[in-house]
Amino acid sequence: MIAASENIGVYICSGCHIGQSIHVESLEAVAGAYPAVKKCSVSENLCSSESCRKIAADIREGGLDGVVIAACSHRVAAEAFHFDEVFLERVNLREGVAWIMEPGDENTQVAAEDYLRMGIERTMYSAHPEPYLIKDLSSDILVLGGGISGIQCALDASRAGYRVHLVEKEESLGGWLNRLNDIIPIPGYPKTDPQEFLKEKLDELGADPGVHILTNSTVKSIEGEPGQFTVEISWGKKKIKQVVGSVILANGWKPYDAGKLTHLGYNKHKDMITQIELEEMVKNGRVARPSDGKTPENILFIQCAGSRDSEHLPYCSNVCCLTSLKQALYLRKQYPDTNVFIIYKDIRTPGKNEHYYHEVQRDNRIFLTKGKVSSVEKSGSGQLRVVVDESLFDEQIGITADLVVAATGMVPNASEDLHLQYRQGEGLPERKYGFPDSHFICFPYETQRTGIYAAGSIRVPQGISDCMEDASGAVVKAIQSIESVKRGEAVHPRSGDRSFPDLYMLRCTDCKRCTEECPFGAYDETEKGQPLPNPARCRRCGICMGSCPERIISFDDYSIHAVSSMIKSVSMPEESSAIPRLLAFVCENDAYPAFDMAALHRLRISPYLRIIPVRCIGSINKIWLSDALSAGFDGILQIGCKPGENYQCHYITGSELMETRSENIRETLQTMMLEPERIHTEFLEIDEYKRIPEIIEEYLAVIGKIGPNPFKDM
Ligand code: SF4
Ligand code: SF4
């Protein structure tokens, strides 16, 4: 069923130079031509509390179900223009017309009138979304992993008033802390004994009645959606079921497999160990060469053993440098006759930890040098000879050591430990370098599975103090998710959005596009292959709406029909006028704000362009492109966030999907006997606003060359 607003109020602002640029009285006439528009007025200062009170009164007394605010960008004055229980459309006359086009010009006026018509059309085919409310919600949080991240998650969540189920596969909590001899200092905590530190944390946990600790336990399955995940836990010999509102994965890391570093010969040399093996050796009482049990006199550390190396781990693991410096210091303290050599690519000691570096430099039996270890071989004396290239000495050097320690990096543990009963698999989709975080830049802690968050070294390589901070961040996200579901609202990046995809299943052909393309695994599937929506998993990106060839997925406030009507409402210049008309679908996450930025800087943008903001360029349905071409648009721009490894797309795969769908789009153009240049995709970061006029002008030149759309006058 198509959503609709039937009693619409249109409110036009003439302030902020809109009135000097646009003839607003003509806009009233445009609005008056729509029978659904029951009220229309112009105000000099529409965002004033007096004007907003009048609008609220019109809604109440006039029974309005749709309101069109023709004023500034929807990205500003959101609080002033907040009206309950009506569909609200913002027509951007200020940043979208008055500030970027020639004041008083005929084309500026045409643009303003088009935008108003587009806004009214959208309102006519949209409705205020009713929230998706689930009964019997749980506010409990499942934390998987009992290392420092998991412990801190449990403490923080419980302190905030949420009951926690902390699941740990080992028989005791603490994770790697149980295997360390010493810890890198934690800000605000003076001691470095891991056992003392762990004991204090465990005492806090023990005294907290809000934390239910399950050791010797594993998660067997998780099904459902945020607010209502059913978790099956194997607890010793028992099986228990628990319903939780959200999940935090804090199952940590493992060291990179040193056996893969064949050029170093870890598997070949008994006297080469890893940092963690050294830590355990010291904790157990004595440092000894594995080959003969003797105390080593010369110990050499190889930093970045496999890290920052495209063949192994391309990233920096954050704590290996600090760990080697820490180990060098305690070795020198316990074994004063030992010499320590540290070969590094760069020494990284972020923040206050720089003091470690200075302490090590002061010790004249610790030798630090930059270089690249090219090989480690056994010497005649039974020691290991380490060959270093590209050293500071500008020549190859060889160092003989009794014990070599490889500072290997961190690898995230498997997210399949969650055993998600999702159509898309048991684990979390991995992004850059195999970590499951869903957006490094904008949304840390969030994974591609809504309501499931990642904390600690499963998310990004980090040490103890960062893991604790991370835990607090993930807990905030888990709580936000629980509370948003209670209100029937989306989480990031459309937090507060109450719409959700509505499927007209009678016309579904079981093609599975929606289930396959939803980046967040929101759809499960029936045996027949029909989508089974889980609305609380949905992030409201609209990508499924873009993917559905039958066009049966829409939102109350963002639909195939509403956007098609907007497209068809744009006035089309006659072919003989030689005025081109371009349409741009602009992603509202980065690209639309960039357009607003361009307006703030008063950059001139062509008046021949009409913009439709979209939730993601992945939500553009092919029918909108055919509609635009049939309506006579000469060219269509799709402007979205950058895809690829350093993607900016807020819905992760939207921009990639748009690229892969381009093939189909080319086919559409062929069937319409149109040139491929009629549809063009651009990727734009928010700070690239200066490029916008150039992008539009260049595209206008391309369109100028191929000539007007042959459908224009039909
Ligand atoms: S594709 Fe986007 S809108 Fe559609 S179900 Fe998935 S998250 Fe929701
Ligand atoms: S994309 Fe549309 S037609 Fe295909 S399975 Fe999903 S709802 Fe059905």
Side-chain angles (χ1 to χ4, degrees):
M1 209 178 76
I2 295 169
S5 295
E6 287 163 354
N7 293 312
I8 300 171
V10 175
Y11 300 90
I12 303 162
C13 184
S14 62
C16 291
H17 293 278
I18 296 171
Q20 284 99 309
S21 183
I22 300 162
H23 189 249
V24 285
E25 288 71 24
S26 305
L27 295 185
E28 280 189 283
V30 168
Y34 283 91
V37 174
K38 303 292 184 321
K39 270 231 163 278
C40 181
S41 64
V42 175
S43 161
E44 269 182 19
N45 186 6
L46 195 61
C47 59
S48 68
S49 41
E50 195 196 333
S51 300
C52 292
R53 265 199 304 276
K54 275 192 194 149
I55 299 172
D58 284 352
I59 294 170
R60 231 177 15 253
E61 290 153 22
L64 301 183
D65 52 5
V67 167
V68 176
I69 300 289
C72 40
S73 163
H74 72 271
R75 300 183 63 253
V76 295
E79 278 182 24
F81 298 125
H82 175 83
F83 306 108
D84 286 331
E85 309 303 321
V86 287
F87 173 78
L88 178 71
E89 169 70 349
R90 301 279 302 270
V91 172
N92 189 356
L93 292 182
R94 192 179 74 174
E95 290 85 345
V97 181
W99 286 3
I100 57 168
M101 298 177 196
E102 195 59 37
D105 187 81
E106 189 190 340
N107 288 315
T108 306
Q109 186 66 27
V110 174
E113 291 178 13
D114 275 350
Y115 277 123
L116 185 62
R117 263 192 295 273
M118 289 161 82
I120 296 171
E121 291 281 344
R122 183 177 173 206
T123 309
M124 281 165 47
Y125 298 108
S126 302
H128 175 65
E130 290 301 322
Y132 173 78
L133 296 172
I134 313 175
K135 285 190 189 136
D136 304 324
L137 290 171
S138 169
S139 296
D140 289 13
I141 298 175
L142 171 80
V143 177
L144 179 53
I148 185 58
S149 306
I151 291 172
Q152 194 61 45
C153 283
L155 286 170
D156 287 351
S158 177
R159 276 181 205 137
Y162 293 79
R163 192 169 150 74
V164 178
H165 307 274
L166 177 59
V167 172
E168 165 57 48
K169 66 177 185 307
E170 303 293 338
E171 61 182 7
S172 57
L173 299 177
W176 286 105
L177 279 169
N178 291 308
R179 295 169 68 176
L180 299 184
N181 170 64
D182 205 2
I183 53 179
I184 295 160
I186 296 163
Y189 185 80
K191 304 172 202 164
T192 61
D193 180 342
Q195 290 316 308
E196 269 186 71
F197 172 70
L198 179 58
K199 185 176 174 312
E200 285 178 26
K201 288 282 170 197
L202 295 182
D203 287 348
E204 276 182 69
L205 266 187
D208 193 329
V211 182
H212 178 205
I213 300 170
L214 297 135
T215 49
N216 278 325
S217 302
T218 49
V219 167
K220 288 290 159 208
S221 72
I222 298 179
E223 56 185 44
E225 56 186 328
Q228 240 177 18
F229 288 116
T230 302
V231 186
E232 195 184 310
I233 302 164
S234 169
W235 183 22
K237 288 185 181 150
K238 285 191 199 160
K239 289 253 181 311
I240 52 174
K241 276 209 171 170
Q242 183 65 52
V243 178
V244 300
S246 64
V247 176
I248 301 177
L249 178 65
N251 66 341
W253 64 282
K254 53 182 176 292
Y256 184 66
D257 179 3
K260 292 184 181 166
L261 306 170
T262 45
H263 67 294
L264 300 182
Y266 171 82
N267 285 338
K268 209 164 69 175
H269 305 305
K270 274 190 175 172
D271 294 335
M272 183 184 289
I273 60 174
T274 63
Q275 279 179 325
I276 196 75
E277 286 165 340
L278 175 67
E279 199 75 22
E280 285 176 314
M281 226 185 230
V282 180
K283 182 171 183 277
N284 293 335
R286 187 173 162 252
V287 177
R289 278 172 31 126
S291 61
D292 56 12
K294 285 187 187 159
T295 303
E297 284 174 21
N298 294 300
I299 302 177
L300 183 142
F301 287 84
I302 303 174
Q303 293 312 114
C304 292
S307 295
R308 302 164 68 203
D309 178 341
S310 56
E311 302 283 306
H312 299 280
L313 302 180
Y315 53 87
C316 164
S317 281
N318 209 337
V319 289
C320 333
C321 285
L322 284 167
T323 302
S324 292
L325 296 175
K326 172 194 83 173
Q327 292 179 330
L329 287 172
Y330 68 55
L331 283 170
R332 286 279 303 121
K333 211 163 161 190
Q334 289 181 32
Y335 302 92
D337 294 331
T338 304
N339 298 312
V340 175
F341 302 85
I342 299 177
I343 315 297
Y344 60 85
K345 284 186 190 169
D346 296 291
I347 285 283
R348 294 182 169 177
T349 54
K352 291 183 181 170
N353 290 314
E354 184 73 1
H355 81 88
Y356 259 131
Y357 190 44
H358 293 308
E359 225 176 309
V360 166
Q361 277 181 319
R362 279 195 294 272
D363 187 324
N364 58 15
R365 292 185 78 160
I366 302 179
F367 306 94
L368 288 135
T369 193
K370 191 175 169 81
K372 190 174 160 202
V373 174
S374 54
S375 67
V376 181
E377 293 301 337
K378 205 148 192 183
S379 72
S381 60
Q383 292 165 299
L384 293 174
R385 183 159 173 78
V386 179
V387 177
V388 182
D389 288 333
E390 298 167 28
S391 74
L392 290 175
F393 303 103
D394 209 18
E395 59 185 37
Q396 189 178 72
I397 55 169
I399 304 167
T400 304
D402 303 303
L403 186 68
V404 172
V405 183
T408 51
M410 288 177 163
V411 178
N413 276 329
S415 63
E416 280 76 15
D417 288 359
L418 289 166
H419 296 291
L420 297 175
Q421 302 305 296
Y422 282 36
R423 177 201 183 277
Q424 294 82 357
E426 298 207 336
L428 301 171
E430 289 165 1
R431 303 309 301 177
K432 202 170 180 181
Y433 307 141
F435 291 90
D437 204 12
S438 80
H439 202 291
F440 287 88
I441 303 158
C442 301
F443 315 118
Y445 321 112
E446 292 193 358
T447 73
Q448 258 180 268
R449 296 292 170 256
T450 310
I452 301 177
Y453 301 91
S457 312
I458 178 83
R459 190 179 79 75
V460 75
Q462 54 195 315
I464 295 168
S465 61
D466 288 338
C467 281
M468 286 159 64
E469 209 175 292
D470 223 52
S472 309
V475 165
V476 170
K477 287 286 178 183
I479 292 173
Q480 277 176 350
S481 167
I482 288 171
E483 297 305 322
S484 299
V485 172
K486 283 183 195 166
R487 296 190 297 268
E489 292 175 355
V491 294
H492 272 103
R494 295 190 59 82
S495 28
D497 185 348
R498 293 182 167 189
S499 67
F500 57 90
D502 191 11
L503 284 73
Y504 182 64
M505 291 307 295
L506 285 178
R507 275 191 15 226
C508 173
T509 57
D510 314 332
C511 72
K512 303 187 185 180
R513 290 264 188 87
C514 54
T515 52
E516 278 162 11
E517 293 194 354
C518 169
F520 304 104
Y523 293 106
D524 287 323
E525 235 168 56
T526 63
E527 267 180 25
K528 212 177 134 218
Q530 285 207 325
L532 276 177
N534 292 277
R537 288 186 201 164
C538 172
R539 305 257 181 109
R540 284 71 161 176
C541 59
I543 287 176
C544 55
M545 179 168 84
S547 71
C548 179
E550 298 301 314
R551 306 181 295 282
I552 59 172
I553 305 178
S554 273
F555 300 75
D556 278 350
D557 57 354
Y558 183 51
S559 65
I560 298 282
H561 195 76
V563 174
S564 287
S565 304
M566 290 170 86
I567 292 168
K568 290 170 192 164
S569 70
V570 173
S571 61
M572 215 38 75
E574 285 173 11
E575 194 178 341
S576 56
S577 74
I579 292 179
R581 186 67 80 231
L582 302 184
L583 179 67
F585 292 104
V586 176
C587 168
E588 65 185 14
N589 295 298
D590 264 29
Y592 197 84
F595 272 80
D596 277 355
M597 295 268 282
L600 278 174
H601 288 83
R602 301 299 196 274
L603 302 184
R604 279 274 175 267
I605 298 177
S606 169
Y608 304 145
L609 177 75
R610 301 292 176 267
I611 291 172
I612 295 183
V614 291
R615 294 185 179 184
C616 172
I617 56 167
S619 71
I620 300 171
N621 191 288
K622 216 168 76 173
I623 192 72
W624 296 342
L625 306 175
S626 339
D627 282 348
L629 292 168
S630 307
F633 279 97
D634 300 296
I636 304 169
L637 280 161
Q638 309 180 102
I639 309 181
C641 305
K642 292 205 167 144
E645 205 183 42
N646 293 318
Y647 67 97
Q648 304 276 320
C649 179
H650 288 49
Y651 300 107
I652 300 130
T653 55
S655 305
E656 277 167 35
L657 281 168
M658 177 41 65
E659 283 195 310
T660 52
R661 286 180 197 158
S662 295
E663 197 45 48
N664 288 341
I665 292 167
R666 267 191 283 277
E667 277 171 29
T668 307
L669 289 169
Q670 259 174 5
T671 53
M672 296 175 85
M673 312 276 277
L674 289 171
E675 303 80 356
E677 293 89 342
R678 298 251 178 232
I679 299 176
H680 178 67
T681 306
E682 283 281 343
F683 300 110
L684 193 70
E685 287 183 36
I686 193 165
D687 57 357
E688 292 181 315
Y689 65 91
K690 284 186 187 152
R691 281 182 56 215
I692 292 174
E694 190 187 306
I695 289 173
I696 310 299
E697 290 308 320
E698 278 177 9
Y699 191 49
L700 277 169
V702 170
I703 294 298
K705 269 193 200 147
I706 58 173
N709 176 353
F711 292 108
K712 201 180 273 290
D713 283 337
M714 286 183 187

mmCIF file with all atom_site columns, all heavy atoms in Angstrom, residues 228 356 379 506 590 604:
data_model
loop_
_atom_site.group_PDB
_atom_site.id
_atom_site.type_symbol
_atom_site.label_atom_id
_atom_site.label_alt_id
_atom_site.label_comp_id
_atom_site.label_asym_id
_atom_site.label_entity_id
_atom_site.label_seq_id
_atom_site.pdbx_PDB_ins_code
_atom_site.Cartn_x
_atom_site.Cartn_y
_atom_site.Cartn_z
_atom_site.occupancy
_atom_site.B_iso_or_equiv
_atom_site.pdbx_formal_charge
_atom_site.auth_seq_id
_atom_site.auth_comp_id
_atom_site.auth_asym_id
_atom_site.auth_atom_id
_atom_site.pdbx_PDB_model_num
ATOM 1  N N   . GLN A 1 228 ? 15.884 -8.882  21.477 1.00 0.00 ? 228 GLN A N   1
ATOM 2  C CA  . GLN A 1 228 ? 15.305 -10.219 21.625 1.00 0.00 ? 228 GLN A CA  1
ATOM 3  C C   . GLN A 1 228 ? 16.210 -11.283 21.026 1.00 0.00 ? 228 GLN A C   1
ATOM 4  O O   . GLN A 1 228 ? 15.763 -12.119 20.251 1.00 0.00 ? 228 GLN A O   1
ATOM 5  C CB  . GLN A 1 228 ? 13.974 -10.253 20.901 1.00 0.00 ? 228 GLN A CB  1
ATOM 6  C CG  . GLN A 1 228 ? 12.835 -10.570 21.796 1.00 0.00 ? 228 GLN A CG  1
ATOM 7  C CD  . GLN A 1 228 ? 11.519 -10.530 21.044 1.00 0.00 ? 228 GLN A CD  1
ATOM 8  O OE1 . GLN A 1 228 ? 11.453 -10.583 19.824 1.00 0.00 ? 228 GLN A OE1 1
ATOM 9  N NE2 . GLN A 1 228 ? 10.449 -10.434 21.797 1.00 0.00 ? 228 GLN A NE2 1
ATOM 10 N N   . TYR A 1 356 ? 59.216 5.029   28.652 1.00 0.00 ? 356 TYR A N   1
ATOM 11 C CA  . TYR A 1 356 ? 59.867 3.724   28.516 1.00 0.00 ? 356 TYR A CA  1
ATOM 12 C C   . TYR A 1 356 ? 61.096 3.832   27.619 1.00 0.00 ? 356 TYR A C   1
ATOM 13 O O   . TYR A 1 356 ? 62.147 3.285   27.885 1.00 0.00 ? 356 TYR A O   1
ATOM 14 C CB  . TYR A 1 356 ? 58.899 2.758   27.816 1.00 0.00 ? 356 TYR A CB  1
ATOM 15 C CG  . TYR A 1 356 ? 58.196 1.797   28.733 1.00 0.00 ? 356 TYR A CG  1
ATOM 16 C CD1 . TYR A 1 356 ? 56.824 1.630   28.642 1.00 0.00 ? 356 TYR A CD1 1
ATOM 17 C CD2 . TYR A 1 356 ? 58.907 1.024   29.652 1.00 0.00 ? 356 TYR A CD2 1
ATOM 18 C CE1 . TYR A 1 356 ? 56.164 0.739   29.451 1.00 0.00 ? 356 TYR A CE1 1
ATOM 19 C CE2 . TYR A 1 356 ? 58.249 0.136   30.462 1.00 0.00 ? 356 TYR A CE2 1
ATOM 20 C CZ  . TYR A 1 356 ? 56.877 -0.002  30.363 1.00 0.00 ? 356 TYR A CZ  1
ATOM 21 O OH  . TYR A 1 356 ? 56.244 -0.884  31.157 1.00 0.00 ? 356 TYR A OH  1
ATOM 22 N N   . SER A 1 379 ? 74.944 -20.109 14.304 1.00 0.00 ? 379 SER A N   1
ATOM 23 C CA  . SER A 1 379 ? 76.382 -19.881 14.127 1.00 0.00 ? 379 SER A CA  1
ATOM 24 C C   . SER A 1 379 ? 77.123 -21.137 14.581 1.00 0.00 ? 379 SER A C   1
ATOM 25 O O   . SER A 1 379 ? 76.527 -22.049 15.175 1.00 0.00 ? 379 SER A O   1
ATOM 26 C CB  . SER A 1 379 ? 76.822 -18.669 14.952 1.00 0.00 ? 379 SER A CB  1
ATOM 27 O OG  . SER A 1 379 ? 76.815 -19.020 16.317 1.00 0.00 ? 379 SER A OG  1
ATOM 28 N N   . LEU A 1 506 ? 3.141  -10.281 -1.899 1.00 0.00 ? 506 LEU A N   1
ATOM 29 C CA  . LEU A 1 506 ? 2.377  -10.959 -2.963 1.00 0.00 ? 506 LEU A CA  1
ATOM 30 C C   . LEU A 1 506 ? 3.119  -10.929 -4.296 1.00 0.00 ? 506 LEU A C   1
ATOM 31 O O   . LEU A 1 506 ? 2.957  -11.814 -5.124 1.00 0.00 ? 506 LEU A O   1
ATOM 32 C CB  . LEU A 1 506 ? 0.997  -10.301 -3.127 1.00 0.00 ? 506 LEU A CB  1
ATOM 33 C CG  . LEU A 1 506 ? -0.030 -10.633 -2.044 1.00 0.00 ? 506 LEU A CG  1
ATOM 34 C CD1 . LEU A 1 506 ? -1.316 -9.882  -2.307 1.00 0.00 ? 506 LEU A CD1 1
ATOM 35 C CD2 . LEU A 1 506 ? -0.289 -12.138 -1.996 1.00 0.00 ? 506 LEU A CD2 1
ATOM 36 N N   . ASP A 1 590 ? 27.600 11.904  3.285  1.00 0.00 ? 590 ASP A N   1
ATOM 37 C CA  . ASP A 1 590 ? 28.774 12.742  3.040  1.00 0.00 ? 590 ASP A CA  1
ATOM 38 C C   . ASP A 1 590 ? 28.522 13.761  1.930  1.00 0.00 ? 590 ASP A C   1
ATOM 39 O O   . ASP A 1 590 ? 28.870 14.924  2.050  1.00 0.00 ? 590 ASP A O   1
ATOM 40 C CB  . ASP A 1 590 ? 29.975 11.861  2.640  1.00 0.00 ? 590 ASP A CB  1
ATOM 41 C CG  . ASP A 1 590 ? 30.857 11.554  3.832  1.00 0.00 ? 590 ASP A CG  1
ATOM 42 O OD1 . ASP A 1 590 ? 30.311 11.518  4.953  1.00 0.00 ? 590 ASP A OD1 1
ATOM 43 O OD2 . ASP A 1 590 ? 32.064 11.350  3.653  1.00 0.00 ? 590 ASP A OD2 1
ATOM 44 N N   . ARG A 1 604 ? 29.155 28.914  -6.588 1.00 0.00 ? 604 ARG A N   1
ATOM 45 C CA  . ARG A 1 604 ? 28.083 28.927  -7.585 1.00 0.00 ? 604 ARG A CA  1
ATOM 46 C C   . ARG A 1 604 ? 27.911 27.524  -8.171 1.00 0.00 ? 604 ARG A C   1
ATOM 47 O O   . ARG A 1 604 ? 28.872 26.915  -8.642 1.00 0.00 ? 604 ARG A O   1
ATOM 48 C CB  . ARG A 1 604 ? 28.424 29.896  -8.719 1.00 0.00 ? 604 ARG A CB  1
ATOM 49 C CG  . ARG A 1 604 ? 28.131 31.329  -8.370 1.00 0.00 ? 604 ARG A CG  1
ATOM 50 C CD  . ARG A 1 604 ? 26.645 31.652  -8.678 1.00 0.00 ? 604 ARG A CD  1
ATOM 51 N NE  . ARG A 1 604 ? 26.307 33.001  -8.251 1.00 0.00 ? 604 ARG A NE  1
ATOM 52 C CZ  . ARG A 1 604 ? 25.782 33.311  -7.067 1.00 0.00 ? 604 ARG A CZ  1
ATOM 53 N NH1 . ARG A 1 604 ? 25.549 32.381  -6.169 1.00 0.00 ? 604 ARG A NH1 1
ATOM 54 N NH2 . ARG A 1 604 ? 25.482 34.559  -6.770 1.00 0.00 ? 604 ARG A NH2 1
#
